[in-house]
Amino acid sequence: MTLDATTLPVIWFALLGVLLAGYAILDGFDLGVGMMHHLVAHDDSERRLVMNTIGPIWDGNEVWLVTFGGALFAAFPEAYATVFSGFYTAFMLLLCALILRAVSMEFRSKVRHATWRRVWDGAFTAGSTLAVLLFGVATGNVMRGLPLDARGDFTGSLLDLLNPYALLVGVLTLTLFAMHGTIYLHLKTEGALRERTVAWMWRTFGCFLVAFVLTTMFTLVAVPRATQHLADHPILWIVPVANVFAVANVPRAIYRGTPAAAFASSCATIVALVFLLGAAIFPDLVPALEPAHSLTVWNAASSPRTLGIMLLIAAIGMPAVLAYTAAVYWTFRGKVRLDDHSY
């Protein structure tokens, strides 16, 4: 295989998928913890414990999102411009949600007053939930296709993005991250709080399973091209089959009292779903409702020289990001306990 103008965009499409999967796994559980904050924790000490399960790592997890955005901008500037113009209002809402979430964690512990802390607890949950919903709605619209003109410019409105299919994918993302975050909470806590997470793992899994089945059925009806590559390349069916096994192993692991296996299965489910998203839209990067107007990995790509230089930078930078992430998680491994430096 030669790294030419045909191959390099495909490599970068795959790398964007890796970055998206990494972000969804890592920030997925800390956003899920934020969503479950009010439901799982019953008093101030437990809410502090919940926040501290993600306190040292949540901002490092978002490095993957920033890297994804930077890579999309440099490798596929046409797609970056279309996505950011089409989702401009949604991205501003997402930015506000992420900022609200970050500020909530920092401000909550500054004042020991019940009302002050309740306000920031609510902001923490609201910011986390809104961010996840927006991620899901954006993914659903990419899967369904956007209203683009012949130049690749977005011609719709915010209301066009709130279609039934995209909202259903938003609900699927909410339930998936809630389950992912609850399993993580079970791994990081102990005592009564940990015992309470068992019931919530079952509830969030049940909600996810219903959303997963409904979204799969809706996708088969509303997005027929989603399975085209599976039909053309039967070997790819190994991914949806593995996905079903991963989903099925979550309740099995919860029942057997092996939460690490449940968390691994949840991670595998996310990876499989990201892969299926990529397989469904390839070679489009930004599918359009009118297929001729879609931005593909080739017509939206930067020059081969730019992509080649970026590939060299990625070969150096990605191991550093992985090493940093591994070092942080190793440092803060084990159960969470409160001390003077806790949130």
Side-chain angles (χ1 to χ4, degrees):
M1 179 183 292
T2 57
L3 300 183
D4 53 21
T6 302
T7 307
L8 280 168
V10 177
I11 292 175
W12 271 104
F13 180 80
L15 288 176
L16 285 177
V18 172
L19 290 170
L20 183 61
Y23 173 73
I25 288 174
L26 297 178
D27 214 27
F29 72 72
D30 73 51
L31 286 166
V33 166
M35 291 166 55
M36 300 303 295
H37 182 237
H38 258 93
L39 298 172
V40 175
H42 284 182
D43 56 34
D44 184 66
S45 293
E46 289 187 349
R47 292 194 175 110
R48 291 182 66 201
L49 276 170
V50 168
M51 280 196 171
N52 280 279
T53 60
I54 61 171
I57 54 176
W58 70 269
D59 46 357
N61 293 340
E62 295 191 348
V63 168
W64 291 75
L65 179 62
V66 175
T67 307
F68 176 86
L72 180 65
F73 170 74
F76 302 102
E78 293 287 339
Y80 179 91
T82 296
V83 169
F84 272 74
S85 62
F87 295 158
Y88 186 78
T89 304
F91 279 149
M92 289 302 102
L93 287 172
L94 173 62
L95 188 61
C96 290
L98 293 176
I99 291 174
L100 180 64
R101 183 168 174 270
V103 169
S104 301
M105 296 186 69
E106 296 299 331
F107 280 19
R108 184 186 187 280
S109 60
K110 302 302 182 188
V111 177
R112 291 182 177 276
H113 190 281
T115 302
W116 173 269
R117 295 195 168 190
R118 276 198 298 271
V119 168
W120 291 115
D121 284 339
F124 182 52
T125 300
S128 301
T129 305
L130 178 60
V132 174
L133 179 63
L134 290 170
F135 280 130
V137 170
T139 303
N141 278 290
V142 170
M143 188 75 177
R144 172 177 174 266
L146 295 170
L148 304 180
D149 61 19
R151 298 176 54 192
D153 294 331
F154 181 74
T155 58
S157 65
L158 179 62
L159 290 179
D160 293 325
L161 301 178
L162 301 178
N163 55 79
Y165 179 75
L167 290 173
L168 181 58
V169 176
V171 172
L172 173 67
T173 311
L174 282 171
T175 57
L176 173 61
F177 284 8
M179 177 186 72
H180 197 46
T182 307
I183 297 172
Y184 176 78
L185 274 177
H186 187 75
L187 288 168
K188 296 294 289 183
T189 56
E190 53 192 354
L193 177 59
R194 186 174 191 266
E195 293 173 6
R196 206 175 302 133
T197 60
V198 175
W200 280 107
M201 282 194 293
W202 284 111
R203 292 168 187 153
T204 53
F205 171 76
C207 293
F208 164 71
L209 185 61
V210 171
F212 179 73
V213 172
L214 290 177
T215 305
T216 301
M217 295 169 62
F218 201 162
T219 300
L220 293 175
V221 173
V223 193
R225 61 177 168 78
T227 57
Q228 186 59 51
H229 286 301
L230 298 179
D232 294 341
H233 307 283
I235 186 67
L236 294 179
W237 275 101
I238 194 172
V239 178
V241 171
N243 191 18
V244 170
F245 278 109
V247 171
N249 194 52
V250 172
R252 176 178 176 273
I254 296 172
Y255 178 77
R256 293 169 63 92
T258 53
F263 189 74
S265 296
S266 181
C267 293
T269 299
I270 291 173
V271 171
L273 291 175
V274 171
F275 182 92
L276 291 173
L277 169 65
I281 66 173
F282 184 82
D284 295 339
L285 196 61
V286 185
L289 293 175
E290 175 57 51
H293 298 167
S294 296
L295 295 174
T296 70
V297 295
W298 295 295
N299 66 21
S302 294
S303 68
R305 181 180 177 83
T306 300
L307 295 178
I309 293 173
M310 287 178 57
L311 196 59
L312 179 62
I313 295 173
I316 299 172
M318 284 295 286
V321 172
L322 292 173
Y324 159 80
T325 303
V328 169
Y329 277 80
W330 177 257
T331 302
F332 295 101
R333 66 189 183 281
K335 304 292 184 182
V336 173
R337 296 182 177 86
L338 297 179
D339 57 31
D340 294 339
H341 301 288
S342 300
Y343 285 105

